[in-house]
């Protein structure tokens, strides 16, 4: 198969607060694209919102609820942000690690308080396909047709790509030159 036949779209990390029209450009882009051609990542607070001081989840934010619904009205998919600390292998001194909540609880919280289409899982350990598959199943246990996006932060192996299909996998965050010289990406038909 050639890359020309593969579905494509744009994934946008909307890590700004959706008040005062900050997400209006995303609505305009979503309206101009084919249905589901734009996927927006919502991220209130490295997840659905958690207060470390009280050790409890924050209530749903009405501005996020409205912005998510407005994007979906333009046939744009919105996914909620969670992170996995590379399968909890990041050292405790790494930013955001260890996680203050269980990742499954964050996924459930997203689906419980926001009208999302799926989950974006950042910091996925690309050498643990079984864990990635479990995370995909966790997301799909809340919504069978959920969009699942995995981000290992580097180009994963073809085995990881196969094991996590049909999830979307972010395969590149580096300059294009690194992409075309990767072990298997440069081999793909263009």
């Amino acid at each position: 198969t050639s890359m020309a036949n593969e579905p494509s779209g744009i994934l946008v990390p909307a890590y700004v607060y959706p008040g005062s029209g900050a997400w209006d450009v995303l609505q305009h882009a979503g309206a101009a694209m084919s249905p589901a051609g734009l996927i927006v990542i919502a991220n209130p607070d490295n997840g659905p919102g958690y207060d470390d001081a009280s050790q409890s989840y924050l209530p749903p934010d009405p501005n996020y609820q409205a912005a998510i619904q407005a994007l979906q009205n333009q046939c744009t998919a919105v996914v909620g942000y969670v992170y996995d600390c590379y399968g909890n292998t990041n050292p405790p001194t790494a930013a955001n690690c260890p996680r203050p909540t269980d990742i499954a609880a964050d996924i459930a919280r997203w689906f419980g308080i926001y009208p999302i289409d799926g989950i974006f899982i950042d910091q996925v350990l690309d050498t643990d396909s079984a864990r990635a598959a479990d995370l995909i199943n966790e997301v799909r246990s809340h919504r069978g047709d959920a969009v699942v996006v995995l981000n290992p932060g580097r180009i994963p192996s073809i085995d990881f790509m196969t094991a996590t299909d049909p999830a979307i996998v972010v395969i590149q965050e580096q300059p294009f030159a690194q992409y075309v010289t990767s072990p298997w990406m440069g081999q793909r038909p263009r």
Side-chain angles (χ1 to χ4, degrees):
T1 186
S2 82
M3 290 178 68
N5 295 331
E6 294 179 12
S8 63
I10 298 173
L11 179 66
V12 177
Y15 297 169
V16 298
Y17 189 74
S20 302
W23 285 22
D24 288 355
V25 69
L26 297 172
Q27 289 182 30
H28 296 302
M33 296 184 73
S34 62
L38 178 65
I39 301 173
V40 173
I41 307 166
N43 186 10
D45 184 28
N46 285 324
Y50 186 80
D51 180 42
D52 289 324
S54 67
Q55 295 186 346
S56 63
Y57 283 105
L58 298 170
D61 184 317
N63 287 326
Y64 270 98
Q65 289 173 320
I68 290 168
Q69 190 63 59
L71 285 172
Q72 291 169 327
N73 290 342
Q74 298 298 330
C75 295
T76 297
V78 181
V79 294
Y81 178 94
V82 299
Y83 64 98
D84 193 34
C85 288
Y86 298 102
N88 297 317
T89 63
N90 256 4
T93 56
N96 299 325
C97 298
R99 294 176 43 81
T101 58
D102 179 69
I103 192 168
D106 280 3
I107 292 167
R109 181 71 178 168
W110 268 112
F111 282 105
I113 65 171
Y114 291 108
I116 56 168
D117 298 294
I119 299 290
F120 174 88
I121 306 171
D122 202 8
Q123 300 178 357
V124 173
L125 186 62
D126 67 335
T127 57
D128 192 345
S129 298
R131 180 172 175 83
D134 287 345
L135 290 170
I136 294 166
N137 289 334
E138 180 64 36
V139 172
R140 297 251 164 92
S141 74
H142 295 276
R143 181 174 166 180
D145 66 345
V147 175
V148 182
V149 182
L150 306 174
N151 184 19
R154 63 182 186 168
I155 299 172
S157 69
I158 193 72
D159 292 336
F160 181 85
M161 297 293 292
T162 302
T164 58
D165 188 34
I168 298 167
V169 179
V170 176
I171 57 172
Q172 180 62 4
E173 291 185 305
Q174 304 300 321
F176 184 72
Q178 255 185 308
Y179 171 80
V180 296
T181 60
S182 74
W184 63 273
M185 290 307 298
Q187 314 289 316
R188 294 178 56 113
R190 295 187 185 145

